[in-house]
Amino acid sequence: MVTVAFQDSSGRPLAGAVVSVAAAPGEFPDIGMVADDQGEISLTTTGTGDYEFVVFADGVAQHVDTHITGAEDHVALVVPPRG
Amino acid sequence: MTASTKASRRPAETEHESPGDSGTASAVPSSMTTEFESPNGLDLNNTDPNTESTNAKARSVAVGESDTSEPGTVGAAPGEFDEVSAVDAIVGSYPELAERAEVIIGLDERIRVTNTTLYPWSAICALRITAANGSRFIGTGWMISPRTVVTAGHCVYLHEEGGWAQSITVIPGCDDASEPYGSHLGTDLRSVTGWTSSKNREYDYGVIILPPSTRPGATTGTFGFATRTDAFLLNAALNLSGYPGDKGGRQQWFMAQRPKSVSERVITYDIDTMGGQSGSPVWVLENGQRYGVGVHTNGNSTGNSATRVTSGVFNNFSNWKNLGM
């Protein structure tokens, strides 16, 4: 399990954002995760590799990518501003 | 709406029940004469991975049935048609798109369902899941009886989040802020040991039994469910509709395609899905009847997939359907 924290470009946690895994190294359950008050989700990783998330917040879906090795406990990702 | 009796439209190995008919269902006594304790809801007494597992204190035993199709009901929501052949399934499932149907086939795009008060869209539910540890998730479910909502096993039993969900709010026909059939809190959850004990993807299915005080399926209509042969499924148009997270989880989105492959317990397809669509119905349309043949569960770059309705799944669905009548 890896904690993934999502924040906007101002550093504010995206509390309540709906996070989906759009791509991962292997097969993953198609459940949507709701970020907690710190903008965090607990991700069950499916292997080492590139992960693509779709983060829906404030009526907008944004894609964000990261590489996860499995050695991390915590990953912080900045969701780029729309446009 | 009645189930077809036209034999020419059925695969040879499949059977149909008449609506309202209890069919040839017969209780199969449990082979277990003694039981182990079941820590954390895990049933250690049975080796059959389709053995029911539940968070309920009074555990009921699944029964067997010999039929392989069980029809749904249109309910109070208006139906669209009576006679549509299997090859017209996409058009039949989404008549508003009839003029675009040939484009839809093979096109890798989801389409928003704009009127979720029409059956079958009314019978598809947004789920708000609160896990045992308080984490929150979204998923999709589908009504098979007034109080029984089918979904993925990993929507009712979350291995990494403490096991059985605390509660799941079921919102049939959710459409942004509109909840045309209300929202319903469910805490009576069922799955099978193949999922809860073994975390085997091939047994990733479950249900929510809503309390007797609420019966949304009586109004929304319900899906039937059925086993189908490999040959049938490989030539079938598979319909999938649910509540994807990249759209916020409150809009219903639909897509249909023929499958890429089928195995004994899994159906794989290129239908686009996203987190939040776990538990979505994968159904076929035969002679105006919708039969769930799979429960969407997984995403993968090589093909998304559903837990297939096999005879074991069918038997549990039949039992759980009766619990929610």
Side-chain angles (χ1 to χ4, degrees), chain A residues 7-43:
Chain A
Q7 58 190 32
D8 66 17
S9 54
S10 302
R12 290 176 295 201
L14 293 175
V18 178
V19 179
S20 304
V21 177
E27 191 173 52
F28 49 90
D30 232 350
I31 196 167
M33 299 163 279
V34 181
D36 64 14
D37 291 343
Q38 287 72 49
E40 295 179 346
I41 63 160
S42 294
L43 177 71

Side-chain angles (χ1 to χ4, degrees), chain B residues 68-250:
Chain B
T68 55
S69 293
E70 186 146 347
T73 60
V74 175
E80 305 99 303
F81 44 80
D82 291 324
E83 287 294 331
V84 183
S85 71
V87 294
D88 293 328
I90 293 172
V91 177
S93 291
Y94 211 120
E96 297 90 333
L97 298 172
E99 294 180 0
R100 297 176 56 191
E102 291 183 1
V103 178
I104 295 168
I105 298 172
L107 189 64
D108 198 18
E109 284 186 350
R110 292 165 295 170
I111 298 160
R112 185 176 177 185
V113 176
T114 54
N115 187 349
T116 58
T117 63
L118 288 174
Y119 177 83
W121 324 109
S122 53
I124 298 171
C125 314
L127 303 183
R128 298 289 173 268
I129 302 158
T130 302
N133 63 4
S135 298
R136 293 182 296 143
F137 298 85
I138 66 169
T140 298
W142 39 294
M143 307 298 310
I144 61 168
S145 79
R147 298 189 290 116
T148 305
V149 186
V150 171
T151 187
H154 67 253
C155 287
V156 297
Y157 190 94
L158 300 91
H159 283 269
E160 310 299 333
E161 310 292 339
W164 294 108
Q166 278 185 39
S167 65
I168 301 178
T169 300
V170 176
I171 313 170
C174 181
D175 186 34
D176 280 335
S178 174
E179 298 180 352
Y181 305 99
S183 66
H184 311 273
L185 189 67
T187 57
D188 183 355
L189 311 175
R190 314 285 168 127
S191 185
V192 291
T193 54
W195 177 251
T196 61
S197 294
S198 305
K199 201 180 178 183
N200 185 338
R201 177 267 167 279
E202 296 182 340
Y203 298 90
D204 187 354
Y205 67 97
V207 293
I208 307 152
I209 310 290
L210 294 172
S213 58
T214 184
R215 298 170 55 83
T219 306
T220 64
T222 59
F223 278 88
F225 46 91
T227 62
R228 288 292 180 262
T229 64
D230 289 359
F232 179 94
L233 291 174
L234 286 168
N235 287 291
L238 299 181
N239 303 279
L240 191 158
S241 198
Y243 287 89
D246 63 326
K247 308 294 184 182
R250 296 191 64 90

Side-chain angles (χ1 to χ4, degrees), chain A residues 2 5 17 32 40 45 52 56 58:
Chain A
V2 177
E40 295 179 346
T45 56
E52 178 185 354
F56 185 92
D58 299 324

